[in-house]
Structure formats: C-alpha cells, structure tokens
Amino acid sequence: MHDLAIIIVSTNEAKWLTPCLTSIFEHVGNTLVDVVVVDNDSTDGTAELVRSFEGARVVPSRNHGFSHANNRGLMTCDARWVLFLNPDTEILEGTFEELVTAPDARPGLGLAGVFGRFTAARPHPIFVNGGKFEAGDDHPNHRHLQLRVGQIHDQNAI
C-alpha cells in the first residue's frame, strides 16, 4: 500500500509535465508515492512522456471531463492519502513525507481540501492535508508549491 497517491489529469498538457513530475520525484522524501497521470485523450505525447519517468504511470481515459478523469485515476490507487495536483504545478521545497506525517498524527482526520487564491500581485498561502504551501504566480496558470508542515484545523474549529 502506498502512503500517498498523486493524481494529475492531463489533456494535452505535456509541456507542463516534465517540470511537474521532476519536482514531485525530487520531493518525495521517505514515503511510498503512487504518481498517476490520467491521460485525457491527449494528442501531444503525454503518455510517452509520463512513461519516461520511473515511478510514474499512465491511466488512459476518454475525455469526459476533469472530474471523470480524477475519478478514473483514483479507482486505480491503493494509497492511504490522495493529492489531486494540476499538471502546471512545481514543488519548490519540503517533502511529501512531511505532508503524510502531519495527518497521520491525527487519526480522526479523514479528508482535507485545498483552498487558496492565486493572483499576479503576490502569492497567498494555501493548506493541504495539514501542509502549508506557498503559491507563486510566474504564469497565470502556473503554480509553485512549497511543502511545509503547518497546523491542521478540525472542521469544527474553522
């Protein structure tokens, strides 16, 4: 069983996948990750590119939308935690090990979500599964994440 599944949906997003996947594997830490790229009927060589990364796998999918593709990827995973990540994301610092350790310390935690604001003016922090991420904005659709363990909030406390 994997500690963390990272699911990325790609519909002709090969140009973003090399930096995204490279940064993921550079920040794994000491955790078992399952990196899944759902190829949503891409025609830009997405599947071939993903297969060139040891440890990443492709799940082919008919393009029935983003949610459908995420669900197709999720159905193939056995991980304790799942992170849905956009293909235009790069991890800058921290490890995924830190992200799974924080929620593991809270056995009552079953689900955490991502929220945040991306503006061209300045980055805003977002929180995922108890990890603090700093989001940058070099490109309107490009995300830079710094994996830092932050505080986990109970739903009733928010």
Side-chain angles (χ1 to χ4, degrees):
M1 173 180 274
H2 293 92
D3 296 311
L4 177 67
I6 301 171
I7 299 174
I8 303 164
V9 174
S10 179
T11 308
N12 293 317
E13 300 289 346
K15 67 180 179 183
W16 298 111
L17 286 173
T18 296
C20 178
L21 293 172
T22 299
S23 72
I24 287 171
F25 288 112
E26 288 173 349
H27 295 273
V28 167
N30 188 25
T31 191
L32 294 174
V33 296
D34 182 16
V35 179
V36 178
V37 177
V38 181
D39 184 5
N40 221 9
D41 276 341
S42 296
T43 58
D44 66 349
T46 289
E48 295 79 12
L49 179 110
V50 173
R51 287 186 189 105
S52 73
F53 281 85
E54 186 178 338
R57 61 187 178 91
V58 177
V59 173
S61 179
R62 303 276 300 173
N63 190 349
H64 294 293
F66 183 71
S67 297
H68 176 266
N70 276 306
N71 286 327
R72 290 272 300 143
L74 182 61
M75 289 187 314
T76 71
C77 296
D78 68 350
R80 298 179 303 113
W81 295 100
V82 177
L83 174 64
F84 295 98
L85 199 63
N86 288 346
D88 60 345
T89 304
E90 289 182 56
I91 310 304
L92 296 179
E93 68 178 54
T95 67
F96 290 107
E97 177 183 5
E98 294 170 291
L99 274 187
V100 298
T101 302
D104 282 349
R106 301 288 295 272
L109 183 66
L111 175 70
V114 178
F115 63 94
R117 297 177 193 92
F118 296 94
T119 67
R122 62 183 176 88
H124 297 273
I126 58 176
F127 297 88
V128 180
N129 285 350
K132 181 179 178 183
F133 293 78
E134 296 293 330
D137 210 341
D138 290 347
H139 180 279
N141 295 320
H142 195 74
R143 294 157 181 89
H144 289 114
L145 302 181
Q146 296 174 336
L147 304 178
R148 295 182 190 156
V149 175
Q151 184 176 7
I152 298 175
H153 298 280
D154 291 325
Q155 180 180 359
N156 295 334
I158 297 177

